[in-house]
Amino acid sequence: MSSWTRELDEASILATKQGWWHVLLFYLLCGLAAIPTSFLVFSQVFTNATPGHWCAPPPELRVLEDELYRNLTVPEQHGVFDSCKAYSVDTREFFVYLERFNRSQDVNTNESFPFNVSTSVITEAILAVRSDEAKKCENGWSFSTELYKRTLVTQYLLVCDADWLPRTSNALFWVGSIFGNLFFGWMSDRYGRRPTILLMIILQVPLSIATSFPGNYWIYVVLRIFCGLFFPALYQLPFILALELMPPAQRTNAGIVVGMLFASGMCLLALLAYVLRDWFYLSLATSLPFLLLFGYVFILPESPRWLVGRGRIADAEKVLISIAKRNGITLPRGFLLELHKTIKEEDDLELSNGRMPKIRRTSLREEYIERRISNMPSFKPDFKRIAEINEELNENSLLNANDNKNDDGSESQASNNEKSIILQMSTLRRKSIQIVNRLISIEDDDFENKIMDDQNSEGDCEASLLDIFRYPNIRKKFLILTFNWVAVGVAYNSLSYNTPNLGVDDYLAFFIGGAVELPSYFIAWRIACVCCGLVPEDLPWVTVSLAMLGRLSAAACFAVFYVQIGELLPTVLRAQAMGASSFIAGVGLLACPYIVYLAVIFKALPLLIIGVLSIAAGFTSLFLPETLNQPLPQTLGDGELFGRDFKILSCVQEEE
């Protein structure tokens, strides 16, 4: 029996062959998946940024220029000032020294310090009274304001002994995403794409705004964990919905458009951070505009594929008819069943001829199906009468079955009286149904929906994550995809968080990182990160170029990867499987801040780790089947059969 895979492909083609509504809906879904999530995950690159810092002077000496005091009290090695240690200065001895000097020079000491003291005298005094050994900062820290006016690090003094907190905050964000993936993936497959996406919008936007008013850093960390619940589910589910709504020829565009919008969001984030330079205003600027997302309540449809997977054929048809209507296309009621009938007839014919059913050219099939649908009767079928006829046929079949059991001439145990009783009961039942229908005025739509929903075959409505491991081919694809997700996720996010270690302006490096992703969907080269280990540290722009090339490749992988994983997994557990895979990848992402931190040992070490992991993922990708020109798997059976006989060196099959 058909799993409605090809029917839904054909229906999506018919509903979107002209018009603009499906294009607008596609970009709205891609924008929802890309822009808020890029702000959500990467804003902490700037809000948690650690500017250059050094030990602050005692309160009595803070009238001195920061640069002067730093040069005299902070140890320096190879042009880099120590961030956590300095020579202490006894302020009492310092002022005694200045007073003694002024008296020896007969200088008026009534003017307030330091206006009556030259820089050379201050330098001499500090060098004379400072300690012999550098000690931990005793009076807090002074921060460079060249790049940032204020960050969470400068506001809460999260440096030196407390520098683990920003890294832990970044890691805990991914902890939230780990559990969010599982929950929202399960919810999406159980209750639908639309309610799950709307729930995430309703919860995520207020929580993002609340992170601008934390009170203390630990409250901020908790809020970020809750925000992490929605990433990357907020990225994946609109993408899945776009994938399931679009006709086959446009599915690849989903990954490309989402990726390009995500990169554009990163460029916009870098520009906002450069202009604002204050974590509070940046946090508001990246959260308040998304109050507009509440408008999705009025435009977001449910996935027809999910509805079919739950046995709701009539509802799926209504969604397709609604999309077609907004596109200026008229599709008649019952067209989905007509598609089902057409495809089933073709399959039966080919099977009877000893051939496996194949996918026809879209243009020819569309023309043929349109001709079939246009010839459908314009009147409204009497589904109630159809149901009554079916019941009568069932009754006759039952009586004939009783007669056939005794063709050998033996005495029938079902006597004529029994047959009469059966017929009377059946007639009474039918008349009772008719009376009840008249009394409660059952709507034709409800009855039609039941008739259509009864046509559903193998919906796999109760598919669960355990089914992934019950099917060998699905299990193999899932494990390979999960490893690839870990590799690409670690590479992409580590390269993004590694921006401050590249030796150039944070805003410029991050903007370039977003900009290079735009052409990344046409170019890919994973070897770039490994090459960074061969570049001397005094050539930062060479390292930046190779790191950006690696990030370009990682972004290109993501653009293809999300389409691939959506096309390899069946509809009935697509969101759950992606959530589980993302859950495992999220565990790997917990290591990103610590991989980046390895730059204190050797600046190129994070890039070497990323490069080796990416090459391994590239090799395992060879064992995944090609999805080009293939229908989207609908049921568990479809998912198990898809790519089962795939060979590594086999070519892509062209459409016939």
Side-chain angles (χ1 to χ4, degrees):
M1 299 181 72
S2 172
S3 61
W4 293 83
T5 299
R6 293 163 60 193
E7 290 90 330
L8 290 168
D9 279 350
E10 304 291 359
S12 64
I13 293 172
L14 292 173
T16 61
K17 63 182 179 180
Q18 68 179 44
W20 54 268
W21 171 249
H22 69 285
V23 178
L24 176 62
L25 183 61
F26 171 74
Y27 279 98
L28 287 174
L29 286 169
C30 292
L32 172 62
I35 307 297
T37 51
S38 64
F39 285 2
L40 179 66
V41 68
F42 290 122
S43 61
Q44 59 190 3
V45 170
F46 301 104
T47 58
N48 273 341
T50 303
H53 56 280
W54 54 90
C55 294
E60 298 87 350
L61 300 182
R62 291 186 178 175
V63 293
L64 296 175
E65 293 182 3
D66 282 344
E67 186 177 354
L68 172 63
Y69 187 83
R70 181 194 63 185
N71 293 340
L72 295 173
T73 61
V74 178
E76 177 188 1
Q77 192 172 25
H78 304 299
V80 178
F81 290 95
D82 196 304
S83 301
C84 302
K85 290 183 179 181
Y87 301 108
S88 62
V89 175
D90 189 319
T91 56
R92 181 174 176 278
E93 290 185 9
F94 174 76
F95 284 111
V96 168
Y97 185 94
L98 289 182
E99 186 177 358
R100 188 183 309 119
F101 177 84
N102 288 340
R103 286 178 182 175
S104 67
Q105 300 295 322
D106 196 20
V107 176
N108 183 9
T109 58
N110 291 330
E111 293 186 51
S112 60
F113 175 77
F115 300 110
N116 63 333
V117 183
S118 65
T119 300
S120 60
V121 174
I122 292 174
T123 301
E124 184 180 336
I126 290 178
L127 292 176
V129 302
R130 74 180 190 181
S131 62
D132 296 331
E133 294 183 359
K135 302 178 181 178
K136 289 185 178 181
C137 300
E138 299 174 346
N139 303 292
W141 291 265
S142 294
F143 293 91
S144 170
T145 56
E146 181 181 359
L147 293 178
Y148 302 95
K149 293 179 181 177
R150 181 176 54 155
T151 70
L152 287 162
V153 170
T154 64
Q155 180 168 328
Y156 296 109
L157 303 179
L158 305 177
V159 293
C160 297
D161 291 341
D163 66 351
W164 59 275
L165 275 172
R167 293 197 304 275
T168 302
S169 171
N170 293 344
L172 290 177
F173 173 85
W174 296 109
V175 171
S177 72
I178 288 173
F179 295 100
N181 282 330
L182 287 178
F183 174 75
F184 289 113
W186 167 82
M187 182 178 178
S188 176
D189 280 343
R190 181 66 185 271
Y191 298 105
R193 316 307 194 212
R194 171 185 158 84
T196 306
I197 292 173
L198 293 178
L199 177 64
M200 287 193 295
I201 292 174
I202 292 171
L203 295 177
Q204 185 264 326
V205 175
L207 281 171
S208 295
I209 297 173
T211 57
S212 304
F213 308 93
N216 61 64
Y217 193 74
W218 282 110
I219 294 178
Y220 171 83
V221 171
V222 172
L223 289 172
R224 284 292 295 176
I225 293 173
F226 281 111
C227 287
L229 289 171
F230 309 103
F231 179 87
L234 189 60
Y235 185 99
Q236 294 167 12
L237 297 184
F239 174 82
I240 290 175
L241 181 56
L243 197 70
E244 294 175 345
L245 284 171
M246 292 300 107
Q250 299 180 19
R251 287 182 196 139
T252 304
N253 296 336
I256 294 175
V257 172
V258 170
M260 294 184 71
L261 288 175
F262 192 86
S264 301
M266 295 176 65
C267 293
L268 179 59
L269 175 62
L271 292 174
L272 287 172
Y274 177 78
V275 171
L276 299 173
R277 297 180 181 246
D278 187 300
W279 79 267
F280 174 74
Y281 297 111
L282 178 63
S283 181
L284 288 179
T286 55
S287 55
L288 282 176
F290 296 113
L291 288 170
L292 297 174
L293 295 180
F294 291 121
Y296 277 72
V297 172
F298 305 103
I299 62 173
L300 203 65
E302 185 53 87
S303 165
R305 291 182 180 275
W306 180 84
L307 290 169
V308 169
R310 303 300 292 183
R312 296 164 58 181
I313 309 298
D315 290 336
E317 185 183 81
K318 286 181 180 178
V319 172
L320 292 165
I321 289 176
S322 175
I323 293 175
K325 184 178 180 181
R326 295 191 179 191
N327 278 331
I329 302 169
T330 301
L331 293 177
R333 294 285 300 275
F335 86 97
L336 200 54
L337 285 178
E338 181 65 22
L339 280 174
H340 181 68
K341 181 180 178 182
T342 300
I343 292 173
K344 190 174 185 301
E345 289 174 355
E346 294 177 359
D347 289 350
D348 291 344
L349 179 61
E350 292 196 348
L351 287 172
S352 65
N353 294 330
R355 297 194 304 267
M356 292 298 295
K358 297 180 180 178
I359 302 174
R360 271 63 170 182
R361 287 188 181 273
T362 300
S363 59
L364 296 177
R365 287 191 54 77
E366 184 178 339
E367 180 182 351
Y368 172 68
I369 290 170
E370 282 183 337
R371 188 164 61 249
R372 286 285 299 262
I373 292 177
S374 63
N375 293 329
M376 289 176 62
S378 58
F379 60 87
K380 192 173 185 180
D382 188 351
F383 282 96
K384 295 180 182 179
R385 179 57 186 158
I386 292 173
E388 293 173 4
I389 293 173
N390 288 338
E391 289 183 7
E392 292 176 1
L393 291 174
N394 291 337
E395 294 162 8
N396 293 334
S397 298
L398 176 64
L399 294 176
N400 291 336
N402 288 332
D403 291 337
N404 292 336
K405 288 180 181 179
N406 298 278
D407 287 342
D408 57 355
S410 61
E411 183 180 355
S412 172
Q413 295 184 5
S415 63
N416 291 334
N417 290 335
E418 290 174 336
K419 294 179 183 179
S420 176
I421 292 174
I422 292 174
L423 289 173
Q424 291 175 5
M425 291 177 63
S426 179
T427 302
L428 179 62
R429 178 175 177 272
R430 184 170 63 255
K431 290 183 177 180
S432 299
I433 292 175
Q434 293 172 349
I435 294 172
V436 171
N437 287 344
R438 294 191 187 99
L439 289 175
I440 64 176
S441 300
I442 294 179
E443 295 291 336
D444 288 342
D445 286 348
D446 294 338
F447 201 84
E448 292 174 26
N449 291 349
K450 183 180 184 305
I451 295 295
M452 293 180 68
D453 291 346
D454 287 343
Q455 300 296 320
N456 189 27
S457 54
E458 39 183 323
D460 294 318
C461 296
E462 302 301 326
S464 68
L465 282 176
L466 294 178
D467 291 319
I468 294 174
F469 301 97
R470 293 192 182 108
Y471 292 80
N473 189 34
I474 294 178
R475 179 175 65 243
K476 181 192 75 172
K477 292 183 290 188
F478 173 79
L479 293 176
I480 293 175
L481 289 166
T482 299
F483 175 74
N484 288 353
W485 200 329
V486 172
V488 178
V490 169
Y492 182 83
N493 288 281
S494 296
L495 286 170
S496 300
Y497 288 125
N498 197 51
T499 297
N501 294 329
L502 297 179
V504 296
D505 183 286
D506 290 1
Y507 304 109
L508 179 60
F510 196 87
F511 180 85
I512 294 174
V516 298
E517 291 187 15
L518 296 176
S520 68
Y521 312 106
F522 311 101
I523 306 169
W525 185 29
R526 294 174 183 246
I527 308 300
C529 292
V530 177
C531 295
C532 289
L534 307 177
V535 179
E537 292 187 8
D538 58 351
L539 298 175
W541 279 106
V542 177
T543 302
V544 169
S545 300
L546 290 172
M548 292 302 105
L549 191 55
R551 183 163 164 182
L552 176 151
S553 304
C557 291
F558 261 129
V560 177
F561 177 78
Y562 272 104
V563 176
Q564 184 185 39
I565 191 172
E567 292 181 336
L568 286 175
L569 298 171
T571 299
V572 293
L573 51 71
R574 182 171 293 121
Q576 291 183 78
M578 288 183 71
S581 185
S582 186
F583 173 92
I584 299 171
V587 176
L589 293 178
L590 293 177
C592 288
Y594 303 99
I595 292 175
V596 172
Y597 186 70
L598 293 176
V600 300
I601 301 173
F602 174 42
K603 276 199 172 182
L605 184 56
L607 300 172
L608 287 170
I609 295 173
I610 294 167
V612 172
L613 190 59
S614 298
I615 291 174
F619 175 74
T620 59
S621 298
L622 297 174
F623 296 91
L624 291 173
E626 179 56 63
T627 61
L628 184 65
N629 301 330
Q630 301 300 317
L632 205 63
Q634 179 72 13
T635 66
L636 291 171
D638 294 337
E640 176 63 17
L641 291 174
F642 186 79
R644 188 168 62 179
D645 299 325
F646 173 78
K647 302 295 187 298
I648 293 179
L649 299 178
S650 61
C651 298
V652 178
Q653 295 181 354
E654 297 182 357
E655 293 186 30
E656 295 186 357

